[in-house]
Structure formats: structure tokens, C-alpha cells
Amino acid sequence: MVGETGSIALPGTAALTQVGRLATLSWEVLRAIFRRPFQFREWIQQCWFFASVTILPTALVAIPFGAVIALQLGSLTTQIGAQSFTGAASALAIVQQASPLITALLVAGAGGSAVCADIGARKIREEIDALEVLGVNPVQRLVVPRVLAAIVVSVLLNGLVSVVGVLGGYFFNVVLQGGTPGAYLASFNALAQVPDLWVSEIKAFLYGFVAGVVAAFRGLNPAGGPKGVGDAVNQAVVITFLLLFLINVVLTAVYLKIVPAKAL
């Protein structure tokens, strides 16, 4: 394939170029966070927007998710004679894996898509170009408040999902499977530990950052026209989901290597 400049473009060059541009935007966002003036009002508005569109769906998704995990683990522990560890196993699965992923998927799907559409609409209306002409950094003015809002809401929602998921698992295990309430709660101390909560919050932090940066990146680079903005929104959601699962695998592997399992 021949590029616009007449040079031959190697296979995969376009993808690597996009990865490089995304990494560059991520670095620009990190640098712009500490610059002044900080758009505090814009950040508060974006936090409220992210929270308003994600709190209820996230809580509703967390209940059946926690129930499925509790029912499956309850059935498995019953078969192997380890019913007393159902609560600890459910809590670990919900806190370490389910809560950050549910939070990130809702933040990226509901909030991130709206951010991508908003920035993309500004781009095709040439508002971004107007800001640059006026000497205003669009990354600092528009992207940073939205990325920080995604991070803050992701971290807070992660705690909400953890609580709702564990309570849902407790209800379904005790009520539907006849589990013992005391054993379900007491088993938390057997396997769960404080680093499990920390790694969950770290995952939520990184997921929120990735969701915000990818949404902003696709919004700043639409193909052109309203159709291009719609395509950019779809691409932002898909790319975010793929990156989230990749990051989850890496963080989980690193965590299991660094933090030793709690001795029984």
C-alpha cells in the first residue's frame, strides 16, 4: 500500500500509529493534570454526569452478578465439602474481578460513549480548532476534567459494586441454597485480606483512566461528519473493552505473584 506521501506503508503501520497517538494523548493528559488553571467546575459537572448515568445500572448489574457467583460457588463448594468457604470465595471473586470490570464496562459504555460523542461533535464543528487558535489547550480544557471524572466515579462505584455484590451473594447463598449466615460471614477472614481491596481499587483507577483517554482520543479523531462521530463512539467502546480485559489479566497475574495467599 502506498501512503499519501508516496512512501510504501507496511502492514500494521496504521495500527501502530494509532497506538502511538493514543499513548501520546495519555502522556499529555498526565502532564496537563498538574497545570493551572484547573477546570474545577467542568470536573464537578462531569463527575455528576458520570455518576448519574452509571450508579443505577451498575447497582442493578452487580446484584445478579453477585448472585450468579454465589450460586455457582455454593454449588461447587457443596460438592467438594467446603461449604464454610463459600463466603470467602464469593467475596474474593466479586471484589477482585467482578466489581472493577462491571464498573469499568458501565463507565466506558454509558459515560465514555457520551464523552466521545461530545468531543467528536465539537471536533466536526471545529470548536477544537477554535480553541487552539485562541491559545487554549483542548486537552487541558476538555479532556483532563473528563478523564479525572471517569477515574473518580470508577473508584467510588467500585466500592458500591463490591458492597452490593457481596450482599447479593449473601442473600442468594443463605436464602436459596440454605447456607449458614455465620459461616458465610466468618469465612471472610479465612481467605480475604486488605490487599484484595487495594488491587480492586487500583484496577478501577486504571480502568477509569483508560476509558476516559480512549473516549477522548476517538472523539478528537473522528473520520469526518456525523457518521464518523457515530463510528468513533462504537470504536471507543470496543477498544476500551479489549484494553480493560488485557489490563485485568496483567494486573491479576502480577498481584498473585507479589501478594502471597493468606494462610488458613
Side-chain angles (χ1 to χ4, degrees):
M1 180 182 296
V2 180
E4 296 179 356
T5 59
S7 59
I8 299 177
L10 298 176
T13 302
L16 293 177
T17 301
Q18 295 299 317
V19 172
R21 295 175 64 185
L22 179 61
T24 301
L25 179 61
S26 302
W27 174 244
E28 291 180 357
V29 170
L30 291 176
R31 290 198 309 169
I33 289 176
F34 303 101
R35 293 177 183 172
R36 296 294 180 269
F38 178 72
Q39 303 298 325
F40 185 79
R41 182 176 181 180
E42 181 79 11
W43 174 63
I44 294 295
Q45 292 175 347
Q46 293 301 318
C47 286
W48 172 251
F49 170 75
F50 271 95
S52 63
V53 300
T54 56
I55 287 180
L56 183 59
T58 302
L60 294 178
V61 171
I63 295 174
F65 214 104
V68 169
I69 292 177
L71 293 175
Q72 186 66 44
L73 288 177
S75 176
L76 178 62
T77 54
T78 301
Q79 294 178 21
I80 63 177
Q83 297 93 328
S84 60
F85 293 103
T86 301
S90 300
L92 286 176
I94 293 171
V95 173
Q96 280 194 25
Q97 305 297 333
S99 296
L101 282 178
I102 292 174
T103 301
L105 295 181
L106 267 297
V107 168
S113 59
V115 167
C116 182
D118 177 43
I119 296 180
R122 294 171 184 264
K123 181 66 176 181
I124 64 174
R125 291 198 304 262
E126 299 183 350
E127 294 182 17
I128 305 296
D129 298 333
L131 288 176
E132 293 177 346
V133 170
L134 293 174
V136 178
N137 186 353
V139 173
Q140 182 181 3
R141 178 63 179 83
L142 299 176
V143 177
V144 169
R146 287 161 172 79
V147 173
L148 290 180
I151 293 174
V152 171
V153 173
S154 295
V155 172
L156 296 179
L157 280 181
N158 183 61
L160 173 64
V161 175
S162 298
V163 173
V164 173
V166 171
L167 291 179
Y170 170 85
F171 174 81
F172 281 91
N173 178 258
V174 173
V175 175
L176 297 183
Q177 293 185 315
T180 305
Y184 189 95
L185 297 176
S187 64
F188 284 173
N189 292 329
L191 296 178
Q193 49 188 335
V194 176
D196 297 329
L197 179 60
W198 282 112
V199 73
S200 178
E201 294 292 356
I202 292 173
K203 286 182 179 180
F205 181 92
L206 293 178
Y207 293 167
F209 178 79
V210 170
V213 170
V214 172
F217 174 74
R218 293 306 306 142
L220 290 172
N221 300 278
K227 183 179 183 302
V229 175
D231 294 339
V233 172
N234 294 332
Q235 294 170 6
V237 174
V238 173
I239 293 172
T240 302
F241 285 5
L242 294 176
L243 291 177
L244 293 182
F245 286 109
L246 177 61
I247 294 173
N248 183 53
V249 171
V250 174
L251 289 180
T252 301
V254 172
Y255 172 77
L256 294 177
K257 290 292 184 181
I258 295 178
V259 180
K262 191 173 182 180
L264 297 179

